[in-house]
Amino acid sequence: MAQVSLNNVQKVYPNGFQALHPTGFEVADGEFVVLVGPSGCGKSTLLRMIAGLEDITDGSLHIGDRVVNHVDPADRDIAMVFQNYALYPHMTVRKNIAYGLQNRKIAKDVIAGKVAEAAEMLNLNDYLDRKPSQLSGGQRQRVAMGRAIVRDPSVFLFDEPLSNLDAKLRNQMRVEIKALQRRLGVTSIYVTHDQVEAMTMADRIIVMNAGRIEQIGTPSEVYHRPASTFVASFMGAPPMNMLPGVAENGAAHLFDLPIADQVAARGEVIVGIRPEDLIPDATGPLAIEVDHIEDLGAHRLLHGALRDARLTVHVSKDVEVAHGPLRVAIKPDAVSVFDVTSGARL
């Protein structure tokens, strides 16, 4: 195992496009870090730079005690799991898992032992003599993971490995990958555009936007104390409600209602409130006109208007709701305040 350190790493293509602005962070030994962001934010480029599949324009990359900027991918002691599995269709599962070890001239008995151990770990014992075309998507992804596991790498790199799977299988594989990483204790960096994957799998999340890091933190920190309006709206389904507010005399006001203190700004601000932090209350200070209800089984989402603003309220299935007026209260200490120009948290 090893830690991964990036010091002012950046990527500029020959045409002048800067895919990754100077970036620095550390992934501790054995930590599971998720890079998350929308398409084109630079997360896959960053992962490929760590893997050695993209050149680093500037800065330094350390894996363990080595600077690996100019080290070939095969010599970085990493293993990568891709979105498209990248299995050899003419080989059996057994041969797919063993192929990398055979290329490294590992002894046959050692290979056989490693393949057997990985197959047991991934519940692939019954499929070792099948070819990829005879497997489901989830089984193919397990084979790809088995091929990575047998290498005993210092670092696992995952490039959106679950995006080709259906929703039920994605949920199952999320649990399996996290449990496997915990069992092996291998430093892991995982790329996804799915904020649910990021929240449920990560020890820490790195939220990226337009080639820059917006925030690094635990899932709880990123969700409850977003560093910007981008993070607030990207992390969470449904996203945080963003409402126009005013800051004065050290407090933020929402439609003349003081809702947050110790705010240094003055003038217009953006007030952020998570849908689950708005509580139906007959004596609540905010009056919403509910015009659409989403019944999602375990809970409901109430969509409506608060004066000229739109917002969403999250309630449990046991709460009686109807279209029309609804008064709500705000959970204490559940308000975020952002700068109206930069979007940064205040």
Side-chain angles (χ1 to χ4, degrees), residues 187-205:
T187 306
S188 300
I189 303 174
Y190 187 106
V191 160
T192 182
H193 63 274
D194 186 333
Q195 52 90 20
V196 175
E197 281 184 25
M199 292 291 295
T200 56
M201 298 178 73
D203 296 325
R204 282 191 304 152
I205 295 171

Side-chain angles (χ1 to χ4, degrees), residues 3 79 89 105 127 130 163 176 185 212 226 256 260 271 295 313 324 344:
Q3 72 175 27
K105 310 299 182 184
Y127 309 100
R130 296 189 188 183
S163 58
E176 291 185 11
R212 292 183 172 87
D256 302 324
V271 174
D295 195 331
V313 180

Side-chain angles (χ1 to χ4, degrees), residues 287-292 303-307 310-311 322-326:
I288 300 170
E289 187 70 22
V290 177
D291 52 38
H292 179 58
H303 303 279
L306 177 61
R307 298 194 186 180
R310 297 289 302 176
L311 82 171
H323 292 82
L326 174 71

